[in-house]
Amino acid sequence: MAVSFPKCPSSPLPPLQTRNRAWLSPLSAPLQVGDSSKWALLEATKRCHLCVSATNGGSAVAPVEPSKKVQDSGPKTTPTDHSTKVENGIRPTVLSSNEFQDLKTGPDNSGRESTVSITVVGASGDLAKKKIFPALFALYYEGFLPKHFTIFGYARSKMTDSELREMVSRTLNCRIDQRENCDAKMEEFLKRCFYHSGQYDSEAHFVELDKKLKQHEGSRISNRLYYLSIPPNIFLDVVKCTSLAASSENGWTRVIVEKPFGRDAESSAALTRGLKQYLHEDQIFRIDHYLGKELVENLSVLRFSNLVFEPLWSRQYIRNVQIIFSEDFGTEGRGGYFDSYGIIRDIMQNHLLQIVALFAMETRTSLEAEDIRNEKVKVLRSMKTLEIDDVVIGQYKSHTRGGVVYPGYTDDKTVPNDSLTPTFAAAALFINNARWDGVPFLMKAGKALHTKRAEIRVQFRHVPGNLYKKCFGTDLDRATNELVIRVQPDEAIYLKINNKIPGLGMRLDRSNLNLHYAARYSKEIPCAYERLLLDAIEGERRLFIRSDELDAAWALFTPLLKDLEEKRIAPELYPYGSRGPVGAHYLAAKYNVRWGDLGAEH
Amino acid sequence: MIRQRIPTNGRDHFITSASGCHTRYITSGPRNGLIANRSLDRSTIFAFCFGSLDKEDILFTQNSFFTLCSLSLSLSNPTQILAMTILRFYQRPSSLSIAFSSRHEWSFSGSSELVTLTTRRNQCWRFSPLKSSNGSPLAGASWKDDGKEMSVPKVPDIGSQLAENTVSITVVGASGDLAKKKIFPALFALYYEDYLPQHFTVFGYARSKLTDEELRHTISTTLTCRVDKRENCSDKMEQFLRRCFYHSGQYDSEVDFCELDNKLKEKEDGKLANRLFYLSIPPNIFVDVVRGASRSASSPNGWTRFIVEKPFGRDSESSSELTRCLKMYLIEEQIFRIDHYLGKELVENLSVLRFANLVFEPLWSRNYIRNVQLIFSEDFGTEGRGGYFDHYGIIRDIMQNHLLQILALFAMETPVGLDGEDIRNEKVKVLRSMRVLKLDDVVVGQYKGHTKGGKSFPAYTDDPTVPKGSLTPTFAAASLFIDNARWDGVPFLMKAGKALHRRGAEIRVQFRHVPGNLYKRKFGTDLDKATNELVIRVQPNEAIYLKINNKVPGLSMRLDSSNLNLLYSERYPREIPDAYERLLLDAIEGERRLFIRSDELDAAWAIFSPLLRELEEKKVVPELYPYGSRGPVGAHYLAAKYNVRWGDLSDSS
């Protein structure tokens, strides 16, 4: 234990987890392998954001059974000894030679290796093929997966292992910046991929899976991760079967689920209740892949590690915040799922709301996952429930441009002809707390718009008593500072400032203080799924949504969604490829806001 | 209702009449009048109205103001008065009576029938609307100027009146280096860009015997055209040179200046004459020239202004003596003390950055700023021209003026307006709140010879124009403190040196560390090494950037310091005008914002004089540093005393 724990600053051990007998340090796997390369060790340890602490000394560490043996046989390094080093759960990036020595000798003292088995349930689906397998491969390629791991595809279709491999291999690609060994790595990765065919509601089939898993796991401590890449109506069946028939006996078992988490407060609560019959809260990893985006992650860093932003982060200086998501394509023949949810449930209630919560939360106590989630919940619970007046909805209609006909939403064969499902929505939200009282948080999300973009725009107030006001024309608010965080595409952070145009006159313009990621960071930015999968394997819950967060989020949107459906509110039509319905401007104007993305500059 | 738009470079549309110290352009619509204080690109325009106003008129005046004022920095007082004017019209549409503060050199009174503008020198203009037969105002205005009555039928025709006004610029010391390298090229650039009045004359004055042709030849070798507008360049140059003349004379001879006066009059040809003298001469003959020029060659009917450049004395006493002597012949308003650093684009932008952006001002105090660094370095030594320098040293040459001026601009409180006097009032307050420098607050250095890559660089004392045992500092670092509510305890560190490893001037604002930083483990032991920093690079390669801590993209959580960048060369492809252009233009226009007032100068000397005296009396030996190095180590110790690191020596960018 002295071996695995202190060395594993990344060991997430929030209070809830101590109850989980099957818990094992996520990093212990690579660390306990004697021949792990020095590089992999360092890499693994560098990921110290995962470090949630062993801080609280021995007490937090103690209950973990599998490691106990290690402690008994290990060198007499006391946990307290290390807790001084792992203060606050964060570890300096560079290991001291001592620590490094510990790491190296660690595995020799441990009796057992650990392994992780990742089962992708719904392996033949689109998400699995396009995102999950490639993300797993990327993690493997970069050396982030434990030394021993097994990947299982599970689905109803009959397939052999090699058919699965063939299917997976088609979507794998190597990072641009590290092409060497790619084929060899791919080969090795595919050798660890297997397939098991079975029904989603059959415990017997999962028992078979369990046997196969055990075979691969051997005598190692086994950790199991299930990725449910399946329709929500069979979530419960699968969860029941996995937890009853295919849980790990000596390691952890975690389940990743993705949206939709219900359609409203009730169905979401029912789903949570259902899941909790078979799983503890800390076994459930609700993915919101937006939280894994590089610039969303960076949001907290920007706020909390820079002095220049936090003083401005309140109603005193911020006039409004805009969170904008747009896609430049429609449902394109895959409207079936979308039509029963709509853009509000699909994008706003989860992705955009999560960003608002991250943006607006108070300073948290530490970097620990539970601390962040506690603060996020507080924001969500302070928010004013949405009313129908705060929202504008739209639906795209067909549009012909340059001889090309773009279909309307209802032209999609998978969408009912009279569908009122919004493909666009704009909403004004308010957070009724001391920091944000009166500041409109405007959200906008839409499909089939003129650009593809996700960004956060923070518009500041105008300068009080501006000496240069005569230089700005009549509307002072049009020349205010604005901080833009462009999440995708083409990641960037920029701050618009008023600046003197060089020359003999005194004319001002708006220039940007720019940080363009492509120019500053040559490395490719990892896909959100990689980050989230890795976090799930490591038990880092920071980017996953807790039940109470989910409840609070639904509480905000459910009355509105009901209202829209009961009153059968007709969405405002907008042409495919346009800037969305005009209503969005009126909504913004009501709160004296202009959408930053539709300004003159674009 | 009029929807007439006032053109932004409305030279062609304004009539002009000049008197006293200001050139004024007047135009008028049927119900509106405008008085402009030198329009073109930076105008101060007063709108007034004949007859009663209605809402439409106000809108009109406001709109035209926005158009015009977007080009002006010196507006706030006049515009406030404008607002007042309108208000009064609203309440008492039949009469108008406004008194300007005495600073403005004029007063203003009148009724809807007649407006009189009186300058300090009791020159009067009276404006009255022309009336049509039915008594309603016409599209025009008439006014009396020194008894000569003119009337203008309508706006488009007034351009022809421009020729009435002329400015004569006399460069005293025309054969000198500064004149050749900076002043004439700046004048040409102003001419090329159309900033000079339609009629102007440039005179060179010096002792050497030269013909006009010879002067033109010398000048033409240094003139260049702007990179972005090469067309017509040689034509323009030709025309410019034709306006250049030379007069040879002694600097202390009133007779010679009388001759100059005659020549000037000849060129001015009875027009309203404004005269600007640029004293590009050693300081010991400043007073002689001012006496000669002011007594014998002042303009009889326009303004006469003198531009003087540093050194303004060697210490408090000599500086105030100089001021006293100048004031025997000139009034304060005629003296334009140039500090060419104030004309630098990014120094000018400093106020815009602070006062036109919400995001900076809340941070602009001891609460958030840990220290401020003002850094000037040159990568060459005196190179055989150490005579003047040796007498002054780097502290007088760079710190006491350029760097201190930047500091004052940086640290001043929000001025009431953008008017020159408002800004200078605030700057003086900063200077007067500053602690007098002591010997302990300063490190001095002098460069020594150094051999690098087979090439040997000479020491300061190797310069033949420098005395062998000279103790004159070629490098100095100083820590200054402003004892006011905003800046108490914040060190302002200055550093200036010659023969250093690079050339540059920049302002660095280091912020405090984030209190209770969640990410503190990422920063190693010294939190102060990872603080935000705002850098304003004045030269070369103008830029503004803010260093922020950012997450390195990737699966791990590593932070690094990245820049939010504004690189001028990328954002503004246009060439940035030289500081001298701006300052010359301002002097011609009577805009005093970038010139140093006597009381500012006194306050600046008061901070440095005791130190300078002590250095000289105690014969403090400067720390030697190799030519081309980063300067003496002492500068680091000085900074360390206040827990500061020099940003320019740790910044990789």
Side-chain angles (χ1 to χ4, degrees), chain B residues 54-127:
Chain B
D54 63 24
K55 211 172 173 190
E56 299 287 326
D57 284 319
I58 293 173
L59 268 177
F60 161 67
T61 35
Q62 279 179 342
N63 283 339
S64 60
F65 249 77
F66 288 126
T67 320
L68 285 160
C69 295
S70 67
L71 306 169
S72 168
L73 183 70
S74 61
L75 269 180
S76 75
N77 265 348
T79 53
Q80 281 160 11
I81 287 160
L82 168 77
M84 216 167 74
T85 312
I86 289 167
L87 215 73
R88 288 198 179 201
F89 269 120
Y90 242 162
Q91 289 159 355
R92 290 165 57 201
S94 60
S95 73
L96 161 69
S97 165
I98 299 156
F100 286 81
S101 73
S102 57
R103 272 215 308 266
H104 283 282
E105 302 173 42
W106 57 56
S107 61
F108 202 23
S109 66
S111 69
S112 63
E113 295 303 307
L114 186 72
V115 177
T116 307
L117 194 133
T118 314
T119 69
R120 242 191 210 177
R121 294 175 173 183
N122 285 325
Q123 284 158 323
C124 284
W125 298 344
R126 284 178 287 279
F127 308 88

Side-chain angles (χ1 to χ4, degrees), chain A residues 139-392:
Chain A
L139 288 176
Y140 171 71
Y141 188 91
E142 304 257 329
F144 281 116
L145 287 188
K147 165 105 171 135
H148 190 275
F149 68 92
T150 318
I151 292 171
F152 256 89
Y154 186 101
R156 280 177 305 194
S157 20
K158 300 277 177 225
M159 239 195 280
T160 63
D161 290 349
S162 58
E163 277 166 345
L164 174 86
R165 286 170 195 169
E166 164 59 23
M167 187 191 84
V168 170
S169 70
R170 265 180 275 136
T171 56
L172 299 191
N173 58 5
C174 296
R175 285 295 166 80
I176 299 167
D177 50 343
Q178 289 186 4
R179 285 208 169 276
E180 84 258 20
N181 295 330
C182 183
D183 291 339
K185 285 273 193 180
M186 211 181 276
E187 193 64 31
E188 279 172 50
F189 175 76
L190 289 172
K191 260 189 260 159
R192 312 270 190 98
C193 295
F194 306 92
Y195 183 77
H196 183 74
S197 157
Q199 293 302 311
Y200 293 126
D201 54 357
S202 156
E203 266 185 59
H205 290 162
F206 276 93
V207 170
E208 284 168 28
L209 174 70
D210 185 50
K211 274 185 202 145
K212 281 198 188 173
L213 285 172
K214 275 192 181 133
Q215 219 176 311
H216 290 289
E217 287 159 0
S219 62
R220 299 175 185 89
I221 296 166
S222 76
N223 297 311
R224 291 185 183 170
L225 179 67
Y226 290 91
Y227 197 118
L228 305 198
S229 172
I230 46 172
N233 55 332
I234 49 174
F235 274 179
L236 285 184
D237 291 336
V238 173
V239 165
K240 180 171 133 212
C241 297
T242 50
S243 72
L244 296 180
S247 273
S248 163
E249 282 162 12
N250 51 4
W252 47 253
T253 305
R254 293 175 188 149
V255 177
I256 297 181
V257 283
E258 221 177 331
K259 68 169 185 187
F261 311 122
R263 293 193 81 246
D264 49 30
E266 291 76 34
S267 55
S268 164
L271 177 66
T272 301
R273 223 175 19 250
L275 291 174
K276 290 214 178 156
Q277 280 182 357
Y278 308 104
L279 302 171
H280 291 297
E281 172 70 25
D282 54 306
Q283 289 183 286
I284 308 170
F285 284 71
R286 286 184 198 83
I287 264 190
D288 186 323
H289 70 266
Y290 253 70
L291 293 181
K293 299 256 179 211
E294 185 60 40
L295 268 88
V296 176
E297 274 245 74
N298 195 37
L299 194 55
S300 292
V301 176
L302 209 59
R303 266 187 77 184
F304 298 121
S305 77
N306 289 294
L307 185 77
V308 294
F309 295 117
E310 189 58 20
L312 306 171
W313 223 257
S314 75
R315 63 197 297 276
Q316 197 179 347
Y317 296 106
I318 292 180
R319 190 156 49 98
N320 66 72
V321 180
Q322 303 177 11
I323 293 132
I324 295 164
F325 171 94
S326 57
E327 271 177 357
D328 54 1
F329 50 87
T331 49
E332 323 284 324
R334 315 166 133 266
Y337 157 77
F338 183 84
D339 194 64
S340 66
Y341 287 91
I343 196 89
I344 298 181
R345 290 187 181 90
D346 199 41
I347 304 289
M348 277 196 169
Q349 179 269 345
N350 37 52
H351 303 326
L352 301 193
L353 191 63
Q354 285 293 323
I355 294 177
V356 169
L358 264 182
F359 179 93
M361 69 184 182
E362 297 298 310
T363 314
R364 57 215 206 249
T365 317
S366 78
L367 295 177
E368 273 188 51
E370 295 312 317
D371 286 328
I372 300 184
R373 301 204 284 187
N374 288 344
E375 294 304 331
K376 272 165 63 195
V377 172
K378 281 199 251 171
V379 172
L380 295 176
R381 290 182 49 210
S382 308
M383 282 172 87
K384 198 180 115 203
T385 307
L386 271 173
E387 277 156 34
I388 210 153
D389 284 351
D390 305 328
V391 177
V392 166

Side-chain angles (χ1 to χ4, degrees), chain A residues 298 306 481 498-499 504 506, chain B residues 42 70 349 357-358 532 550:
Chain A
N298 195 37
N306 289 294
N481 295 126
N498 292 306
N499 207 55
L504 294 174
M506 173 56 71
Chain B
R42 51 182 80 197
S70 67
N349 195 38
N357 290 294
L358 186 76
N532 294 127
N550 205 53

Side-chain angles (χ1 to χ4, degrees), chain A residues 401-416:
Chain A
R401 197 172 37 193
V404 185
V405 180
Y406 297 92
Y409 175 66
T410 49
D411 296 342
D412 193 317
K413 289 193 190 67
T414 55
V415 168

Side-chain angles (χ1 to χ4, degrees), chain B residues 422-437:
Chain B
D422 290 332
I423 292 177
R424 299 202 285 185
N425 286 344
E426 295 305 329
K427 274 164 62 196
V428 172
K429 282 200 250 169
V430 172
L431 295 176
R432 290 183 47 212
S433 306
M434 284 175 76
R435 224 180 271 170
V436 175
L437 268 174

Side-chain angles (χ1 to χ4, degrees), chain B residues 528-567:
Chain B
D528 284 344
K529 285 178 76 170
T531 55
N532 294 127
E533 187 172 6
L534 177 69
V535 182
I536 298 166
R537 195 160 59 213
V538 178
Q539 69 177 31
N541 248 340
E542 291 86 348
I544 301 171
Y545 57 92
L546 177 64
K547 291 161 100 76
I548 57 166
N549 292 305
N550 205 53
K551 177 178 170 307
V552 178
L555 294 173
S556 58
M557 173 63 74
R558 284 188 301 131
L559 305 193
D560 74 353
S561 169
S562 290
N563 294 344
L564 286 174
N565 249 321
L566 172 59
L567 199 57

Side-chain angles (χ1 to χ4, degrees), chain B residues 222-383:
Chain B
T222 57
L223 298 191
T224 53
C225 295
R226 284 293 165 79
V227 181
D228 50 346
K229 292 213 292 214
R230 286 211 170 273
E231 84 259 21
N232 296 330
C233 184
S234 40
D235 282 358
K236 285 271 194 180
M237 214 181 269
E238 192 63 32
Q239 285 168 1
F240 175 75
L241 289 174
R242 253 187 274 145
R243 311 273 189 99
C244 295
F245 305 93
Y246 184 76
H247 182 74
S248 159
Q250 293 302 310
Y251 292 127
D252 54 357
S253 154
E254 275 189 48
V255 180
D256 288 345
F257 276 103
C258 257
E259 281 169 30
L260 174 70
D261 186 48
N262 289 338
K263 280 198 188 174
L264 284 172
K265 276 197 180 125
E266 200 179 302
K267 308 285 177 219
E268 285 159 4
D269 192 23
K271 298 186 183 73
L272 217 142
N274 296 312
R275 293 187 183 168
L276 180 67
F277 290 89
Y278 196 118
L279 306 197
S280 172
I281 45 173
N284 55 329
I285 49 174
F286 275 177
V287 180
D288 290 337
V289 171
V290 166
R291 184 177 52 228
S294 72
R295 283 199 183 155
S296 311
S298 273
S299 162
N301 52 359
W303 47 253
T304 306
R305 295 176 186 149
F306 288 81
I307 297 182
V308 282
E309 223 177 331
K310 66 170 186 186
F312 310 122
R314 293 191 82 246
D315 50 29
S316 290
E317 290 74 36
S318 52
S319 162
S320 57
E321 175 64 17
L322 176 66
T323 302
R324 203 180 55 77
C325 292
L326 290 178
K327 289 214 178 159
M328 281 166 61
Y329 309 105
L330 303 174
I331 57 169
E332 174 72 25
E333 281 74 21
Q334 290 182 284
I335 308 170
F336 285 72
R337 284 184 199 82
I338 264 191
D339 186 322
H340 71 266
Y341 255 70
L342 292 181
K344 299 254 178 210
E345 186 58 42
L346 268 89
V347 176
E348 273 245 73
N349 195 38
L350 193 57
S351 296
V352 175
L353 208 60
R354 269 187 77 184
F355 299 122
N357 290 294
L358 186 76
V359 295
F360 296 116
E361 189 57 21
L363 306 171
W364 223 255
S365 74
R366 63 197 298 276
N367 289 340
Y368 296 104
I369 293 180
R370 191 154 49 96
N371 66 71
V372 180
Q373 303 177 10
L374 305 153
I375 297 164
F376 170 95
S377 47
E378 270 175 0
D379 54 1
F380 50 88
T382 49
E383 324 284 324

Side-chain angles (χ1 to χ4, degrees), chain A residues 63-113:
Chain A
V64 180
E65 270 191 319
S67 331
K68 226 168 193 169
K69 289 176 199 155
V70 183
Q71 189 186 34
D72 295 338
S73 58
K76 289 286 175 210
T77 326
T78 62
T80 40
D81 209 339
H82 287 271
S83 62
T84 54
K85 288 180 191 163
V86 199
E87 205 179 305
N88 274 359
I90 309 148
R91 201 180 176 89
T93 36
V94 183
L95 291 172
S96 74
S97 59
N98 248 350
E99 287 169 318
F100 185 66
Q101 198 58 32
D102 279 354
L103 284 174
K104 260 173 55 177
T105 55
D108 299 335
N109 296 327
S110 77
R112 298 169 72 182
E113 274 186 73

